[in-house]
Amino acid sequence: MHVRRKAKSSFLAMAVPVFIFFYAVFVNTGKADLSESVLVPGISAGSVVLNSTVDSVLKAFSGEAYRKVLLRGPQGLFRQVFSLDMQFDIPFNEIYSFQERSLAVFCMDRYIRAVVVTNAKSVTSDGIHLNKGISLLIFTYGNSGLVVKKRDKHVLYCYPERGIAFFDDGGNDSIDMTAVFKLQARERTRDDSK
């Protein structure tokens, strides 16, 4: 009798992730396919992998229109782009914007440092649909390591150690933009708590 319960519980443990996978595959994610909609904190946004060269992205998105901005010197993603005073930052000196894909790639010397996505139909690798709002995200990820910055009605919810940040432009519990990045040790200041 005891063996049957173990088998039944192990079946359920296996069935739940399989169900979640098939649910995610068959959910309508809009124009992009599922693999392009998955955000993996600290690793990738769709097929754009952090720390790879931008050449891999340009090759994968061959034929798609994009805008390129080259800067004279390094800038900080949070300080200069979003005007937020953070204890860490992601340096970049090139931006590649793919409007049809609703994403921008931030590079430092051709290496991808961050990806910013404005597609609310994205889903995290943890199975969290961004269109469900910031409350569900905080409930799932928790408060540990969470950095919150507010300016007027704009709110940033950042998990620097995970490598993901969420922007709520109206303070209305919606996720309007997401940044995926990998924070390197030298990009933290000594005042940083982590």
Side-chain angles (χ1 to χ4, degrees):
M1 188 85 156
H2 183 42
V3 173
R4 278 192 175 275
R5 285 187 183 176
K6 266 190 166 180
K8 192 174 184 179
S9 66
S10 67
F11 171 76
L12 286 175
M14 185 178 76
V16 170
V18 170
F19 172 77
I20 291 171
F21 172 78
F22 282 115
Y23 175 77
V25 167
F26 293 109
V27 165
N28 180 10
T29 59
K31 186 176 179 184
D33 65 22
L34 181 65
S35 64
E36 288 299 316
S37 300
V38 176
L39 304 176
V40 184
I43 297 175
S44 66
S47 61
V48 181
V49 179
L50 298 176
N51 295 325
S52 61
T53 64
V54 72
D55 300 323
S56 63
V57 174
L58 297 175
K59 183 177 179 182
F61 298 169
S62 178
E64 293 186 30
Y66 68 92
R67 291 177 53 186
K68 175 180 172 180
V69 177
L70 295 176
L71 304 168
R72 291 184 183 176
Q75 301 290 314
L77 181 68
F78 293 105
R79 284 187 183 98
Q80 278 82 26
V81 175
F82 300 116
S83 300
L84 293 169
D85 184 28
M86 305 289 274
Q87 294 179 339
F88 54 87
D89 215 339
I90 308 299
F92 69 94
N93 60 7
E94 305 170 58
I95 306 170
Y96 296 81
S97 175
F98 298 87
Q99 189 171 358
E100 281 187 41
R101 291 182 179 263
S102 301
L103 68 85
V105 178
F106 292 79
C107 303
M108 184 67 181
D109 299 328
R110 304 209 47 87
Y111 284 92
I112 300 169
R113 298 304 320 280
V115 182
V116 175
V117 180
T118 57
N119 183 357
K121 293 185 179 182
S122 295
V123 62
T124 68
S125 57
D126 304 307
I128 305 166
H129 291 265
L130 299 188
N131 60 3
K132 299 293 182 187
I134 198 68
S135 296
L136 176 63
L137 229 126
I138 294 172
F139 178 78
T140 304
Y141 282 173
N143 290 326
S144 179
L146 174 63
V147 175
V148 179
K149 295 284 183 171
K150 295 180 181 181
R151 189 180 58 204
D152 300 324
K153 289 188 176 185
H154 307 289
V155 186
L156 164 74
Y157 301 90
C158 184
Y159 291 91
E161 298 303 318
R162 287 183 182 264
I164 196 160
F166 306 96
F167 299 84
D168 180 358
D169 280 339
N172 57 1
D173 191 41
S174 68
I175 299 173
D176 301 298
M177 189 168 33
T178 306
V180 176
F181 58 91
K182 183 159 181 73
L183 192 62
Q184 296 179 359
R186 67 181 181 276
E187 293 160 354
R188 295 181 181 95
T189 65
R190 65 189 138 131
D191 298 329
D192 197 355
S193 60
K194 293 262 176 189

